[in-house]
Amino acid sequence: MLLIYLPAYNKEIVGSDFLKKKRMEHIKSILLSEGEVQLQQLKKEFPDVSTMTLRRDLISLEKEGYLIRTYGGAILSKNVFINEEDNYSKRIYENIEQKNEIAQKAVGFIEEGRSLFLDAGTTLMYLAQKLPDKNLSIITSAANIGLEAIKKSNLTVMILGGMLNRNTLSLSGPNALSLLNNVNIDIAFMGTSGFSIDSGFTNANIYECQLKIEVIKRAKKVIMLMDTTKLNKNMPFTFANLEDIDILITDRSLPKDIKKEVENMDVAVY
């Protein structure tokens, strides 16, 4: 059974919006691991939150399609993962021009002799195809990206082992996290399934999120590759916020509200 424990937060320091966001993520994790959740259970998890507030949380999640409310609680919606992550073979041919543009920009940040992490995802695959054949150490959580990188004779390639996600071709889980503890990362090139100001960078798979979180912690510099079709799209789990990244590479100008938030966090945009 998968359990995620949230640290205690000082209400005088942390805003109500932040606390609500953490509650919602925790409720999602319970639903995904157990298939259902009861209000009495949530009341024990959040003793300082009223039952009415917890009911409103469930109503909000029902509107987003994550659950179906029942008497005294809720059950996981069968539609949670439908279309959350489209089939990889389909997505690789979507927005080709934009993904190539983003990948080409990313190549400009690669210096010889560096250790690079390449996340899973179709945009990262385009970056793998454009990697210079130089003295570089490549670490990746994606089997297909590792196979693409090894075509270059001067690259050293390490693929993190784990459970293979057929939709993203990503490897994740305890084995991948264990291997990650032994590597140093100069630059992490990350991908995301969705982004919004409220939820940050999100993904549909909790194990992939755990891996992404650890990669971002270990990397000296984090570069997010994201085409603008991902904007205002929320997946169940948040793995990073704007303050966690250094550079955002995208395909066109950001909406004003997102651009303002990016500037406030001193994130460079290319």
Side-chain angles (χ1 to χ4, degrees):
M1 180 176 68
L2 173 66
L3 293 176
I4 298 178
Y5 295 96
L6 298 178
Y9 295 103
N10 187 327
K11 290 185 176 180
E12 297 179 356
I13 299 174
V14 183
S16 60
D17 288 344
F18 178 84
L19 291 172
K20 180 180 179 180
K21 175 182 172 183
K22 290 299 179 184
R23 276 201 318 273
M24 302 282 257
E25 289 180 0
H26 190 52
I27 293 170
K28 290 175 186 177
S29 72
I30 294 172
L31 284 164
L32 287 170
S33 63
E34 301 182 9
E36 63 179 347
V37 66
Q38 299 297 317
L39 272 171
Q40 287 183 341
Q41 177 185 1
L42 293 177
K43 190 61 183 172
K44 291 179 180 178
E45 298 276 353
F46 304 100
D48 297 329
V49 180
S50 70
T51 301
M52 184 61 68
T53 297
L54 292 171
R55 280 200 180 98
R56 285 197 291 265
D57 288 345
L58 295 181
I59 290 171
S60 296
L61 289 172
E62 185 175 47
K63 289 179 180 178
E64 294 177 23
Y66 291 114
L67 58 82
I68 298 171
R69 284 186 298 145
T70 61
Y71 182 76
I75 59 174
L76 179 69
S77 171
K78 294 180 180 178
N79 296 321
V80 165
F81 291 114
I82 295 178
N83 295 326
E84 290 283 20
E85 297 280 6
D86 295 331
N87 185 272
Y88 180 88
S89 60
K90 175 185 175 183
R91 290 184 294 112
I92 193 67
Y93 296 111
E94 293 178 342
N95 305 317
I96 293 175
E97 184 177 344
Q98 293 92 327
K99 291 174 182 178
N100 265 313
E101 179 185 347
I102 291 170
Q104 191 59 53
K105 291 178 183 178
V107 170
F109 292 93
I110 296 175
E111 300 176 358
E112 188 166 6
R114 298 297 185 181
S115 173
L116 312 177
F117 179 87
L118 268 62
D119 199 5
T122 54
T123 304
L124 275 297
M125 183 61 176
Y126 284 98
L127 174 57
Q129 293 170 349
K130 297 178 186 298
L131 287 172
D133 193 2
K134 296 181 178 179
N135 175 26
L136 294 168
S137 295
I138 305 298
I139 305 109
T140 183
S141 57
N144 60 320
I145 288 177
L147 292 172
E148 181 64 32
I150 205 66
K151 293 178 183 178
K152 309 289 177 66
S153 59
N154 291 304
L155 300 185
T156 300
V157 180
M158 175 182 177
I159 301 177
L160 300 178
M163 185 174 293
L164 182 63
N165 183 331
R166 61 172 46 86
N167 290 321
T168 62
L169 302 183
S170 170
L171 294 154
S172 60
N175 289 338
L177 289 172
S178 178
L179 283 171
L180 192 60
N181 289 330
N182 299 317
V183 299
N184 297 312
I185 302 170
D186 290 316
I187 303 177
F189 292 95
M190 306 300 296
T192 185
S193 298
F195 173 80
S196 68
I197 293 175
D198 292 336
S199 298
F201 299 99
T202 57
N203 185 276
N205 186 298
I206 191 168
Y207 298 109
E208 290 185 12
C209 277
Q210 289 172 341
L211 183 65
K212 289 172 183 281
I213 289 168
E214 289 304 314
V215 168
I216 289 170
K217 285 180 181 178
R218 296 189 66 83
K220 295 177 182 177
K221 180 181 290 185
V222 179
I223 301 178
M224 186 68 67
L225 311 187
M226 179 186 73
D227 66 74
T228 47
T229 64
K230 308 294 176 59
L231 295 177
N232 296 315
K233 183 178 180 182
N234 290 328
M235 294 298 177
F237 302 104
T238 297
F239 65 87
N241 290 295
L242 284 171
E243 59 263 35
D244 298 315
I245 71 170
D246 301 291
I247 295 170
L248 173 62
I249 302 180
T250 187
D251 56 306
R252 59 185 177 88
S253 298
L254 299 170
K256 289 183 179 179
D257 59 334
I258 294 178
K259 183 179 180 181
K260 181 179 179 181
E261 196 69 19
V262 169
E263 290 174 348
N264 289 340
M265 294 297 168
D266 294 324
V267 176
V269 180
Y270 292 85

